[in-house]
Amino acid sequence: MSQVGLEVGCGAAWVPDGGFAVGLDVDIAQLRSAPGVVVCGDARHLPLAVGSTDRIVLRAVLHHLDPIDEALGELSRVAAPGALLMIVDAVALPPEQARRMNEQLEAAGRSPEPLAGLDPDDVAASLGRHGFDVDSIRLDGTATLATRPIVSEDHVTDRFVLQATRRERAGQPRRPSSTAK
């Protein structure tokens, strides 16, 4: 396996987790002070080769990528068969709260959130269409989408953690098992 990790939306505070890892962020200013190997790029157009990563992490990133299918398709493209994917993100706010949050963000001169969180089951279904098997989904703490003083009320929801594995690609030989008899 390729033994290359990718953190999408790494930001300036990114900490490589051992092995060879690449941090990717769309904001070049964030990358100027980021440690390790970093690349400026968009998750919907990853500057990586087919099957080049064996682990991918997205932390509070996917809800910024509307529609998510394009980004998940790119993750599938760069993931090697057997690659592990972890997505940590916010569960969708109720529609009325999402509308209020985006109005408050716009009134504060900020960009509205493209997606005010996600439905973990919808993410899992999309991953399945893109060649991933979802291993687990669990709620794990809270996620903050917008807080005071930027907005007039805190917009907090549940946080989910989804783990998935990239299936073998059609027409590609399976790797031999490590438990030979």
Side-chain angles (χ1 to χ4, degrees):
M1 194 176 276
S2 60
Q3 299 302 313
V4 173
L6 170 66
E7 181 155 349
V8 177
C10 66
W14 177 59
V15 178
D17 67 346
F20 183 77
V22 175
L24 179 122
D25 203 293
V26 71
D27 185 352
I28 196 159
Q30 290 286 322
L31 297 176
R32 287 194 176 104
S33 60
V37 177
V38 292
V39 176
C40 187
D42 187 314
R44 293 165 287 214
H45 309 283
L46 293 169
L48 300 169
V50 171
S52 60
T53 62
D54 70 339
R55 60 193 187 287
I56 303 170
V57 176
L58 291 88
R59 300 174 219 249
V61 171
L62 196 57
H63 75 273
H64 294 289
L65 303 171
D66 185 24
I68 66 169
D69 258 4
E70 194 173 0
L72 296 179
E74 271 295 275
L75 296 176
S76 177
R77 183 184 68 78
V78 302
L84 302 177
L85 169 67
M86 183 175 72
I87 297 172
V88 180
D89 219 313
V91 173
L93 292 174
E96 178 59 26
Q97 185 179 2
R99 184 192 60 73
R100 282 194 323 270
M101 178 186 70
N102 280 329
E103 287 174 354
Q104 293 167 14
L105 286 169
E106 287 178 329
R110 303 288 178 104
S111 297
E113 289 287 350
L115 299 168
L118 301 161
D119 180 329
D121 292 330
D122 290 347
V123 175
S126 183
L127 285 168
R129 290 189 300 274
H130 288 290
F132 284 92
D133 291 323
V134 174
D135 303 317
S136 66
I137 304 173
R138 70 180 191 283
L139 296 181
D140 181 15
T142 59
T144 304
L145 291 168
T147 59
R148 291 173 268 204
I150 296 170
V151 293
S152 60
E153 62 183 299
D154 292 341
H155 297 279
V156 179
T157 184
D158 290 327
R159 178 179 66 196
F160 71 90
V161 177
L162 181 150
Q163 295 181 338
T165 304
R166 179 67 169 91
R167 291 190 295 266
E168 298 289 331
R169 288 179 166 77
Q172 195 173 40
R174 290 192 166 273
R175 286 187 310 275
S177 170
S178 60
T179 56
K181 293 184 180 182

